[in-house]
mmCIF file of all heavy atoms in Angstrom:
data_model
loop_
_atom_site.group_PDB
_atom_site.id
_atom_site.type_symbol
_atom_site.label_atom_id
_atom_site.label_comp_id
_atom_site.label_asym_id
_atom_site.label_seq_id
_atom_site.Cartn_x
_atom_site.Cartn_y
_atom_site.Cartn_z
ATOM 1 N N PRO A 343 93.363 239.915 -152.510
ATOM 2 C CA PRO A 343 94.421 239.757 -151.585
ATOM 3 C C PRO A 343 95.409 238.734 -152.001
ATOM 4 O O PRO A 343 95.014 237.725 -152.590
ATOM 5 C CB PRO A 343 93.654 239.365 -150.281
ATOM 6 C CG PRO A 343 92.209 239.832 -150.464
ATOM 7 C CD PRO A 343 92.015 239.738 -151.940
ATOM 8 N N VAL A 344 96.712 238.887 -151.770
ATOM 9 C CA VAL A 344 97.719 237.960 -152.192
ATOM 10 C C VAL A 344 97.401 236.497 -151.615
ATOM 11 O O VAL A 344 97.591 235.545 -152.338
ATOM 12 C CB VAL A 344 99.089 238.371 -151.683
ATOM 13 C CG1 VAL A 344 100.143 237.314 -152.036
ATOM 14 C CG2 VAL A 344 99.479 239.710 -152.360
ATOM 15 N N THR A 345 96.952 236.368 -150.391
ATOM 16 C CA THR A 345 96.683 235.065 -149.775
ATOM 17 C C THR A 345 95.329 234.540 -150.254
ATOM 18 O O THR A 345 95.017 233.331 -149.965
ATOM 19 C CB THR A 345 96.682 235.172 -148.259
ATOM 20 O OG1 THR A 345 95.804 236.202 -147.823
ATOM 21 C CG2 THR A 345 98.100 235.499 -147.758
ATOM 22 N N GLY A 346 94.496 235.337 -150.930
ATOM 23 C CA GLY A 346 93.199 234.884 -151.381
ATOM 24 C C GLY A 346 92.148 235.547 -150.483
ATOM 25 O O GLY A 346 92.376 235.949 -149.367
ATOM 26 N N TYR A 347 90.865 235.525 -150.930
ATOM 27 C CA TYR A 347 89.771 236.119 -150.153
ATOM 28 C C TYR A 347 89.495 235.375 -148.851
ATOM 29 O O TYR A 347 89.638 234.133 -148.864
ATOM 30 C CB TYR A 347 88.501 236.146 -150.994
ATOM 31 C CG TYR A 347 88.421 237.231 -152.052
ATOM 32 C CD1 TYR A 347 88.468 236.990 -153.368
ATOM 33 C CD2 TYR A 347 88.370 238.615 -151.639
ATOM 34 C CE1 TYR A 347 88.447 237.996 -154.276
ATOM 35 C CE2 TYR A 347 88.362 239.629 -152.567
ATOM 36 C CZ TYR A 347 88.423 239.375 -153.918
ATOM 37 O OH TYR A 347 88.318 240.361 -154.774
ATOM 38 N N LEU A 348 89.220 236.124 -147.817
ATOM 39 C CA LEU A 348 89.013 235.433 -146.538
ATOM 40 C C LEU A 348 87.938 234.505 -146.621
ATOM 41 O O LEU A 348 88.030 233.387 -145.939
ATOM 42 C CB LEU A 348 88.661 236.459 -145.476
ATOM 43 C CG LEU A 348 88.445 236.035 -144.087
ATOM 44 C CD1 LEU A 348 89.545 235.185 -143.506
ATOM 45 C CD2 LEU A 348 88.000 237.181 -143.133
ATOM 46 N N SER A 349 86.857 234.772 -147.282
ATOM 47 C CA SER A 349 85.664 233.809 -147.521
ATOM 48 C C SER A 349 86.085 232.470 -148.036
ATOM 49 O O SER A 349 85.649 231.385 -147.641
ATOM 50 C CB SER A 349 84.609 234.437 -148.312
ATOM 51 O OG SER A 349 85.079 234.782 -149.582
ATOM 52 N N LEU A 350 86.994 232.540 -149.061
ATOM 53 C CA LEU A 350 87.487 231.239 -149.596
ATOM 54 C C LEU A 350 88.375 230.455 -148.693
ATOM 55 O O LEU A 350 88.294 229.335 -148.597
ATOM 56 C CB LEU A 350 88.204 231.519 -150.998
ATOM 57 C CG LEU A 350 88.735 230.264 -151.682
ATOM 58 C CD1 LEU A 350 87.763 229.220 -151.903
ATOM 59 C CD2 LEU A 350 89.484 230.716 -153.004
ATOM 60 N N ARG A 351 89.322 231.220 -147.995
ATOM 61 C CA ARG A 351 90.167 230.555 -147.110
ATOM 62 C C ARG A 351 89.368 229.927 -145.980
ATOM 63 O O ARG A 351 89.733 228.829 -145.478
ATOM 64 C CB ARG A 351 91.268 231.581 -146.597
ATOM 65 C CG ARG A 351 92.328 231.801 -147.589
ATOM 66 C CD ARG A 351 93.391 232.720 -147.158
ATOM 67 N NE ARG A 351 92.952 234.111 -146.984
ATOM 68 C CZ ARG A 351 93.039 234.914 -145.836
ATOM 69 N NH1 ARG A 351 93.518 234.338 -144.745
ATOM 70 N NH2 ARG A 351 92.641 236.119 -145.928
ATOM 71 N N GLN A 352 88.262 230.574 -145.559
ATOM 72 C CA GLN A 352 87.404 230.037 -144.494
ATOM 73 C C GLN A 352 86.681 228.828 -144.983
ATOM 74 O O GLN A 352 86.629 227.769 -144.281
ATOM 75 C CB GLN A 352 86.392 231.045 -144.016
ATOM 76 C CG GLN A 352 85.520 230.609 -142.876
ATOM 77 C CD GLN A 352 86.327 230.273 -141.626
ATOM 78 O OE1 GLN A 352 87.006 231.100 -141.084
ATOM 79 N NE2 GLN A 352 86.231 228.964 -141.160
ATOM 80 N N ALA A 353 86.332 228.783 -146.236
ATOM 81 C CA ALA A 353 85.635 227.653 -146.869
ATOM 82 C C ALA A 353 86.617 226.454 -146.966
ATOM 83 O O ALA A 353 86.308 225.271 -146.711
ATOM 84 C CB ALA A 353 85.087 227.969 -148.227
ATOM 85 N N ILE A 354 87.911 226.698 -147.263
ATOM 86 C CA ILE A 354 88.922 225.668 -147.311
ATOM 87 C C ILE A 354 89.174 225.115 -145.893
ATOM 88 O O ILE A 354 89.329 223.945 -145.691
ATOM 89 C CB ILE A 354 90.272 226.239 -147.916
ATOM 90 C CG1 ILE A 354 90.035 226.680 -149.384
ATOM 91 C CG2 ILE A 354 91.440 225.303 -147.786
ATOM 92 C CD1 ILE A 354 91.052 227.363 -150.073
ATOM 93 N N SER A 355 89.242 226.075 -144.870
ATOM 94 C CA SER A 355 89.481 225.703 -143.479
ATOM 95 C C SER A 355 88.317 224.698 -143.102
ATOM 96 O O SER A 355 88.501 223.725 -142.388
ATOM 97 C CB SER A 355 89.552 226.896 -142.566
ATOM 98 O OG SER A 355 89.512 226.483 -141.231
ATOM 99 N N ASP A 356 87.037 225.050 -143.498
ATOM 100 C CA ASP A 356 85.925 224.279 -143.162
ATOM 101 C C ASP A 356 85.998 222.885 -143.818
ATOM 102 O O ASP A 356 85.622 221.898 -143.223
ATOM 103 C CB ASP A 356 84.628 225.056 -143.520
ATOM 104 C CG ASP A 356 84.343 226.232 -142.793
ATOM 105 O OD1 ASP A 356 84.995 226.433 -141.677
ATOM 106 O OD2 ASP A 356 83.571 227.049 -143.281
ATOM 107 N N LYS A 357 86.478 222.831 -145.053
ATOM 108 C CA LYS A 357 86.585 221.635 -145.722
ATOM 109 C C LYS A 357 87.622 220.657 -145.084
ATOM 110 O O LYS A 357 87.380 219.535 -144.993
ATOM 111 C CB LYS A 357 86.927 221.848 -147.200
ATOM 112 C CG LYS A 357 87.439 220.713 -148.030
ATOM 113 C CD LYS A 357 88.991 220.710 -148.065
ATOM 114 C CE LYS A 357 89.542 219.606 -148.943
ATOM 115 N NZ LYS A 357 89.393 218.231 -148.337
ATOM 116 N N LEU A 358 88.699 221.291 -144.694
ATOM 117 C CA LEU A 358 89.754 220.466 -143.956
ATOM 118 C C LEU A 358 89.278 219.878 -142.694
ATOM 119 O O LEU A 358 89.552 218.767 -142.393
ATOM 120 C CB LEU A 358 90.990 221.382 -143.816
ATOM 121 C CG LEU A 358 91.835 221.683 -145.056
ATOM 122 C CD1 LEU A 358 92.799 222.854 -144.734
ATOM 123 C CD2 LEU A 358 92.669 220.455 -145.389
ATOM 124 N N ALA A 359 88.477 220.645 -142.003
ATOM 125 C CA ALA A 359 87.926 220.200 -140.701
ATOM 126 C C ALA A 359 86.861 219.055 -140.972
ATOM 127 O O ALA A 359 86.828 218.046 -140.314
ATOM 128 C CB ALA A 359 87.301 221.347 -139.922
ATOM 129 N N ARG A 360 86.080 219.363 -142.008
ATOM 130 C CA ARG A 360 84.883 218.419 -142.287
ATOM 131 C C ARG A 360 85.380 217.084 -142.932
ATOM 132 O O ARG A 360 84.916 216.032 -142.507
ATOM 133 C CB ARG A 360 83.927 219.144 -143.223
ATOM 134 C CG ARG A 360 82.667 218.350 -143.583
ATOM 135 C CD ARG A 360 81.823 219.194 -144.493
ATOM 136 N NE ARG A 360 82.416 219.476 -145.861
ATOM 137 C CZ ARG A 360 82.769 220.726 -146.122
ATOM 138 N NH1 ARG A 360 82.637 221.780 -145.339
ATOM 139 N NH2 ARG A 360 83.261 220.938 -147.395
ATOM 140 N N GLU A 361 86.228 217.195 -143.865
ATOM 141 C CA GLU A 361 86.613 215.995 -144.628
ATOM 142 C C GLU A 361 87.882 215.327 -144.146
ATOM 143 O O GLU A 361 88.082 214.138 -144.379
ATOM 144 C CB GLU A 361 86.789 216.429 -146.113
ATOM 145 C CG GLU A 361 85.488 216.930 -146.739
ATOM 146 C CD GLU A 361 85.683 217.211 -148.262
ATOM 147 O OE1 GLU A 361 86.769 217.173 -148.719
ATOM 148 O OE2 GLU A 361 84.621 217.493 -148.953
ATOM 149 N N ASN A 362 88.847 216.176 -143.635
ATOM 150 C CA ASN A 362 90.109 215.574 -143.269
ATOM 151 C C ASN A 362 90.404 215.544 -141.816
ATOM 152 O O ASN A 362 91.374 215.067 -141.311
ATOM 153 C CB ASN A 362 91.259 216.390 -143.917
ATOM 154 C CG ASN A 362 91.048 216.523 -145.407
ATOM 155 O OD1 ASN A 362 90.489 217.551 -145.859
ATOM 156 N ND2 ASN A 362 91.407 215.509 -146.198
ATOM 157 N N HIS A 363 89.430 216.098 -141.013
ATOM 158 C CA HIS A 363 89.604 216.153 -139.528
ATOM 159 C C HIS A 363 90.857 216.856 -139.157
ATOM 160 O O HIS A 363 91.524 216.401 -138.188
ATOM 161 C CB HIS A 363 89.469 214.776 -139.014
ATOM 162 C CG HIS A 363 88.354 213.909 -139.505
ATOM 163 N ND1 HIS A 363 87.015 214.338 -139.381
ATOM 164 C CD2 HIS A 363 88.341 212.716 -140.153
ATOM 165 C CE1 HIS A 363 86.230 213.402 -139.965
ATOM 166 N NE2 HIS A 363 86.954 212.415 -140.352
ATOM 167 N N LEU A 364 91.211 217.931 -139.851
ATOM 168 C CA LEU A 364 92.339 218.656 -139.602
ATOM 169 C C LEU A 364 91.986 220.111 -139.292
ATOM 170 O O LEU A 364 91.095 220.750 -140.019
ATOM 171 C CB LEU A 364 93.289 218.668 -140.716
ATOM 172 C CG LEU A 364 94.011 217.305 -141.071
ATOM 173 C CD1 LEU A 364 94.676 217.370 -142.410
ATOM 174 C CD2 LEU A 364 95.038 216.942 -139.906
ATOM 175 N N THR A 365 92.605 220.780 -138.291
ATOM 176 C CA THR A 365 92.181 222.121 -137.929
ATOM 177 C C THR A 365 93.334 223.140 -138.490
ATOM 178 O O THR A 365 94.485 223.101 -138.038
ATOM 179 C CB THR A 365 92.117 222.276 -136.415
ATOM 180 O OG1 THR A 365 91.100 221.325 -135.959
ATOM 181 C CG2 THR A 365 91.688 223.692 -136.073
ATOM 182 N N TYR A 366 92.820 224.012 -139.321
ATOM 183 C CA TYR A 366 93.720 225.027 -139.851
ATOM 184 C C TYR A 366 92.995 226.420 -139.777
ATOM 185 O O TYR A 366 91.821 226.436 -140.248
ATOM 186 C CB TYR A 366 94.104 224.793 -141.325
ATOM 187 C CG TYR A 366 95.186 223.708 -141.518
ATOM 188 C CD1 TYR A 366 94.787 222.371 -141.712
ATOM 189 C CD2 TYR A 366 96.510 224.043 -141.534
ATOM 190 C CE1 TYR A 366 95.753 221.382 -141.885
ATOM 191 C CE2 TYR A 366 97.472 223.039 -141.801
ATOM 192 C CZ TYR A 366 97.060 221.672 -141.960
ATOM 193 O OH TYR A 366 98.012 220.704 -142.057
ATOM 194 N N SER A 367 93.595 227.417 -139.228
ATOM 195 C CA SER A 367 93.064 228.700 -139.295
ATOM 196 C C SER A 367 93.225 229.348 -140.619
ATOM 197 O O SER A 367 93.992 228.888 -141.477
ATOM 198 C CB SER A 367 93.773 229.666 -138.267
ATOM 199 O OG SER A 367 95.097 229.955 -138.712
ATOM 200 N N THR A 368 92.486 230.416 -140.994
ATOM 201 C CA THR A 368 92.602 231.070 -142.319
ATOM 202 C C THR A 368 94.016 231.660 -142.465
ATOM 203 O O THR A 368 94.463 231.838 -143.574
ATOM 204 C CB THR A 368 91.567 232.126 -142.445
ATOM 205 O OG1 THR A 368 91.666 233.149 -141.361
ATOM 206 C CG2 THR A 368 90.232 231.572 -142.428
ATOM 207 N N LYS A 369 94.734 231.868 -141.403
ATOM 208 C CA LYS A 369 96.114 232.422 -141.458
ATOM 209 C C LYS A 369 97.071 231.321 -141.905
ATOM 210 O O LYS A 369 98.258 231.675 -142.294
ATOM 211 C CB LYS A 369 96.546 232.958 -140.127
ATOM 212 C CG LYS A 369 95.778 234.321 -139.785
ATOM 213 C CD LYS A 369 96.271 234.868 -138.463
ATOM 214 C CE LYS A 369 95.601 236.155 -138.050
ATOM 215 N NZ LYS A 369 96.083 236.706 -136.786
#
């Protein structure tokens, strides 16, 4: 997918929440 696999985008979203205390959806 052009935006990247959903599983990776979810992992990045989780990382942002866990490490940076920032909430981003996969979109």
Side-chain angles (χ1 to χ4, degrees):
V344 175
T345 54
Y347 282 113
L348 178 60
S349 57
L350 177 56
R351 287 184 285 125
Q352 183 61 58
I354 293 167
S355 171
D356 294 343
K357 168 258 182 293
L358 285 163
R360 180 177 66 249
E361 297 182 354
N362 307 96
H363 312 305
L364 292 169
T365 302
Y366 285 89
S367 73
T368 55
K369 292 181 179 179

